[in-house]
Amino acid sequence: MKRFIILLMTTVFSFAQDVYQSAGEIINAFNDRPVKNNHITSYLLDIARNGHQLDSDSKAKLESLGFNFNGTLISRGQAQRSESIGLDKYFDVKYFRIHYTTSGRNAVNPTDINLNDIPDYIESLADIFSYVSKTLHDDMGFIKPPGDGFYSSDYDNGGNDKYDIYIRQLASNFYGYVQFEQYAQEMGDNEKTPNIIEKNAITSYMAMRNGYTNFNQLTELQNIQTTIAHEFFHTIQLGYDGWEKQWLLEATAVWMEEELFDDINDVYQYMPEWFKYPHRSLDEEGTHAYGSYIFFEFIEQNMGGNETLRIIFENSVKNDSRIKDGSHSAIDQALKLNGYTFKQALNSMSIANKIMSSASAAGVYKYKEAESYPIKGPTIYKTLNFKSGTMDFIESSRLNRFGSQYISIISQEPVLVELNKINGSSSNLKLNAILEKNDDSFLVISNKKINIDPINLKSIHLSIVSEDTIDLDLSYRLTFKDGERGTGANLPITFIASNPYPNPFKNDISFLITILQETFMRITVYDLMGREIRTIYNGQITSGSYKYKWDSKNNFGIDNSSGTYFIKISDGQNEEWKMITLIK
């Protein structure tokens, strides 16, 4: 008996924000009307870059709010910045000038416990800005945003070349924002990077609320912290490339909130919606991009740490994003420094999102805070109850590029799964079997055809990942039919690996690999951060049994410290991870 499970839907691809939508949202925001998104910086950037495309009526409405269409970029500044109106005081600290007032509708709480004539609220803001800037610039190595000291006398620059923050009463439902002004040095070159010539660096200033009490479920301090982490990182991003794609800007700004203030977890609010629709594009712009922070969380935790994120933006300078999207290339080039690629990161994240665990058994597919996340994993697209002697099919045309779909298989008998693209080559689709064993460990097999034996398995899931960047039709068909005993029996399984011994170990650990047929083999050791520690073998190998050992040294011959490590054995299609513990 054949069963056909078919869902045909219009494919939705990554899309850019509509500048008319952005204009409408900003007009609402600055008239104290509700907006869809409580982060409005993306709308302001869209207007800055594309506002000249608006019709005269839309331009007139924005001009009434202080927007200036005379420059190459649309801003709210000329002889006087709109945000400065009514603010008669300022406080300078390190890189920043904070503009505020203690009277009128924009007044901050005047409480001044230390009697230094600076409201405690302003000092609190200054302390957090100083902490964030020190962490970003001094500790993480991100560049400073370009200065406005080069402005002519016709333009307001806040009175000096420090970065300006304006504290005002803002509409009820957004945190704060960054307003973009001019191409740095009038040519897009950030003067803070003497050895680099940027093409599109953009100057900016920030606006924040004059109070964050009762703003949302966070405390006032937490609201200030997450707002500064998110919005100030935007000013840095645009100091690299002012035309970088919005999805990358927003996803990494959300990630920065978590990186700088890990205990707040305000980023969790974006997860339920994102995991509900895993088939949507990673690089889809709009509100979906906020949830895409999980991609960078995965990279940071498993593929090189936060340094990788800095290198992404350093690479963005090499591409003129105003002419061509360079976001994926910038990520790919940064990952390659640690031996990974964009496609590997995308595929590994898809697997990690289903495993959704912080346990060591998850290997490099873990999230440190998985058990605290407000989701259990992504939406399951279909569940198949497989019966021996049948052939079943699942089809979908719903998968978007850089998206994933998940299938759950319930079976008492071996099942052979095969992935085929309905139209064209399936080379741009990836099929992963995510097999949870009874001992709570995981086996991951990636291939176009996978044999799965349910013996000793607690659960069977598949993820289908689109690695494609061009194809307009990603519809696919999965075929399920009788398999053979022994997971991978119908695959070109090329090796069997023993458990490393002794484990835990003090100096050396050994393991045996049986090669069933000539293949390419790579054996590597990784730490808990997903960093490659040692390459044990990398090359072609003939059939036979081979004994390998790791002497607890890295690739430079230096002893590693005590801790948990992983031995990865891979033939390019199938891989096994062995968790080991080094005790010095």
Side-chain angles (χ1 to χ4, degrees):
M1 180 183 68
K2 293 185 179 181
R3 236 174 1 204
F4 294 88
I5 308 172
I6 304 174
L7 178 62
L8 299 175
M9 295 186 67
T10 303
T11 302
V12 181
F13 298 98
S14 174
F15 57 89
Q17 262 177 199
D18 181 347
V19 68
Y20 280 94
Q21 175 192 352
S22 297
E25 291 298 305
I26 292 302
I27 290 168
N28 285 336
F30 288 169
N31 281 288
D32 204 14
R33 295 193 292 263
V35 293
K36 296 178 182 177
N37 184 356
N38 53 16
H39 291 285
I40 65 170
T41 296
S42 61
Y43 300 131
L44 290 167
L45 180 57
D46 192 21
I47 292 171
R49 300 194 298 202
N50 302 305
H52 285 296
Q53 302 172 16
L54 294 167
D55 59 30
S56 56
D57 181 58
S58 298
K59 288 180 180 178
K61 291 178 181 178
L62 289 171
E63 286 173 337
S64 70
L65 297 172
F67 283 87
N68 172 18
F69 286 81
N70 295 330
T72 306
L73 296 170
I74 288 79
S75 70
R76 297 187 82 207
Q78 197 165 350
Q80 184 177 20
R81 290 168 173 164
S82 298
E83 282 76 8
S84 71
I85 297 173
L87 306 186
D88 55 359
K89 301 178 185 294
Y90 64 82
F91 177 54
D92 287 345
V93 55
K94 205 168 186 180
Y95 308 123
F96 305 101
R97 171 164 287 189
I98 302 176
H99 304 260
Y100 68 98
T101 186
T102 54
S103 62
R105 68 187 302 270
N106 296 310
V108 300
N109 186 328
T111 301
D112 178 20
I113 294 177
N114 61 3
L115 302 177
N116 66 348
D117 294 328
I118 306 297
D120 296 338
Y121 181 76
I122 297 300
E123 289 189 301
S124 177
L125 287 175
D127 288 344
I128 298 169
F129 269 107
S130 295
Y131 165 75
V132 168
S133 66
K134 178 186 182 301
T135 305
L136 288 171
H137 305 317
D138 300 343
D139 300 342
M140 298 174 69
F142 285 97
I143 62 172
K144 299 179 180 67
D148 55 14
F150 71 94
Y151 285 8
S152 71
S153 58
D154 296 332
Y155 284 85
D156 181 3
N157 71 348
N160 62 16
D161 61 358
K162 289 180 179 289
Y163 192 86
D164 295 293
I165 301 109
Y166 296 90
I167 312 303
R168 305 183 58 82
Q169 178 177 309
L170 303 181
S172 59
N173 65 335
F174 59 88
Y175 292 85
Y177 58 85
V178 179
Q179 177 63 63
F180 306 96
E181 289 199 295
Q182 301 183 36
Y183 285 112
Q185 303 298 308
E186 298 181 339
M187 63 185 75
D189 181 22
N190 185 346
E191 82 284 3
K192 307 294 174 56
T193 57
N195 299 321
I196 302 173
I197 299 177
E198 292 84 6
K199 301 178 180 69
N200 302 309
I202 294 176
T203 64
S204 62
Y205 58 85
M206 279 180 60
M208 293 191 64
R209 307 181 69 84
N210 59 350
Y212 285 88
T213 55
N214 302 318
F215 180 62
N216 59 19
Q217 296 180 347
L218 302 181
T219 67
E220 180 168 64
L221 177 61
Q222 289 174 330
N223 279 315
I224 294 171
Q225 290 171 326
T226 56
T227 300
I228 293 176
H230 187 111
E231 299 299 339
F232 186 63
F233 191 51
H234 278 322
T235 75
I236 292 170
Q237 295 167 334
L238 276 293
Y240 288 99
D241 184 353
W243 280 81
E244 187 53 86
K245 286 295 182 179
Q246 292 266 23
W247 81 271
L248 178 58
L249 301 179
E250 291 301 340
T252 54
V254 173
W255 168 81
M256 187 57 76
E257 295 180 38
E258 185 74 352
E259 185 71 4
L260 295 184
F261 301 104
D262 183 45
D263 294 336
I264 297 177
N265 296 325
D266 190 46
V267 300
Y268 288 2
Q269 66 178 296
Y270 307 114
M271 298 184 76
E273 184 77 4
W274 198 90
F275 277 82
K276 185 178 180 180
Y277 303 107
H279 66 279
R280 290 167 63 177
S281 293
L282 173 75
D283 64 355
E284 180 181 311
E285 299 195 342
T287 56
H288 185 73
Y290 294 92
S292 290
Y293 95 91
I294 195 67
F295 179 61
F296 298 100
E297 188 78 351
F298 178 82
I299 288 174
E300 183 261 325
Q301 292 186 18
N302 298 286
M303 292 184 166
N306 59 38
E307 181 182 16
T308 305
L309 275 291
R310 190 195 75 241
I311 296 172
I312 289 172
F313 284 96
E314 291 174 350
N315 287 334
S316 73
V317 175
K318 303 172 185 177
N319 304 299
D320 190 344
S321 299
R322 191 174 183 179
I323 298 174
K324 182 181 179 180
D325 178 8
S327 59
H328 313 99
S329 174
I331 297 168
D332 191 61
Q333 293 303 310
L335 286 167
K336 282 181 177 178
L337 295 177
N338 290 312
Y340 303 102
T341 66
F342 173 78
K343 287 185 177 181
Q344 285 178 308
L346 184 70
N347 196 60
S348 295
M349 178 196 66
S350 172
I351 295 166
N353 287 354
K354 180 64 196 75
I355 292 176
M356 195 50 68
S357 173
S358 60
S360 296
V364 295
Y365 301 115
K366 66 181 180 302
Y367 291 107
K368 294 176 182 177
E369 299 179 9
E371 276 67 37
S372 300
Y373 288 163
I375 44 90
K376 298 300 182 183
T379 296
I380 302 299
Y381 171 56
K382 293 290 180 183
T383 297
L384 175 69
N385 286 281
F386 180 78
K387 302 296 182 183
S388 179
T390 67
M391 182 179 290
D392 291 289
F393 301 92
I394 291 179
E395 293 187 356
S396 173
S397 61
R398 195 180 183 186
L399 183 62
N400 301 163
R401 73 169 191 169
F402 305 142
S404 299
Q405 283 186 309
Y406 296 86
I407 311 294
S408 175
I409 301 176
I410 300 173
S411 178
Q412 301 300 314
E413 301 295 330
V415 55
L416 179 65
V417 185
E418 184 172 1
L419 169 68
N420 286 289
K421 202 154 172 287
I422 292 177
N423 295 304
S425 169
S426 59
S427 61
N428 293 315
L429 296 177
K430 192 87 167 183
L431 173 63
N432 305 295
I434 306 166
L435 310 177
E436 184 179 10
K437 299 181 180 181
N438 288 331
D439 63 1
D440 295 324
S441 65
F442 291 89
L443 173 63
V444 176
I445 301 176
S446 301
N447 211 315
K448 299 298 181 187
K449 184 186 292 186
I450 303 175
N451 186 87
I452 303 170
D453 186 345
I455 291 179
N456 296 322
L457 294 183
K458 184 182 294 186
S459 67
I460 302 170
H461 289 90
L462 307 176
S463 80
I464 300 90
V465 185
S466 165
E467 301 176 328
D468 183 60
T469 59
I470 300 174
D471 203 331
L472 298 178
D473 185 358
L474 294 171
S475 56
Y476 65 84
R477 177 184 295 114
L478 289 171
T479 304
F480 303 84
K481 57 185 179 182
D482 286 347
E484 298 179 11
R485 285 296 173 192
T487 290
N490 286 2
L491 286 175
I493 295 295
T494 55
F495 66 89
I496 300 172
S498 70
N499 289 324
Y501 181 84
N503 192 17
F505 69 106
K506 186 173 182 180
N507 293 309
D508 298 337
I509 190 167
S510 300
F511 53 97
L512 185 70
I513 297 181
T514 301
I515 304 299
L516 304 179
Q517 56 181 297
E518 184 175 354
T519 187
F520 178 87
M521 182 65 59
R522 180 172 172 82
I523 306 170
T524 44
V525 179
Y526 292 86
D527 66 9
L528 277 173
M529 288 292 293
R531 294 174 295 210
E532 182 178 316
I533 300 299
R534 178 75 174 270
T535 299
I536 296 176
Y537 186 86
N538 185 35
Q540 202 72 15
I541 190 169
T542 58
S543 59
S545 293
Y546 299 85
K547 185 176 182 179
Y548 295 96
K549 74 173 185 178
W550 180 44
D551 58 6
S552 72
K553 299 181 185 296
N554 65 16
N555 285 325
F556 301 101
I558 301 172
D559 286 328
N560 282 281
S561 58
S562 299
T564 300
Y565 296 86
F566 297 92
I567 298 174
K568 176 185 176 183
I569 306 153
S570 173
D571 63 3
Q573 298 186 72
N574 309 295
E575 61 186 49
E576 284 197 37
W577 293 81
K578 303 289 188 180
M579 185 174 66
I580 56 177
T581 302
L582 173 61
I583 300 175
K584 289 290 189 180

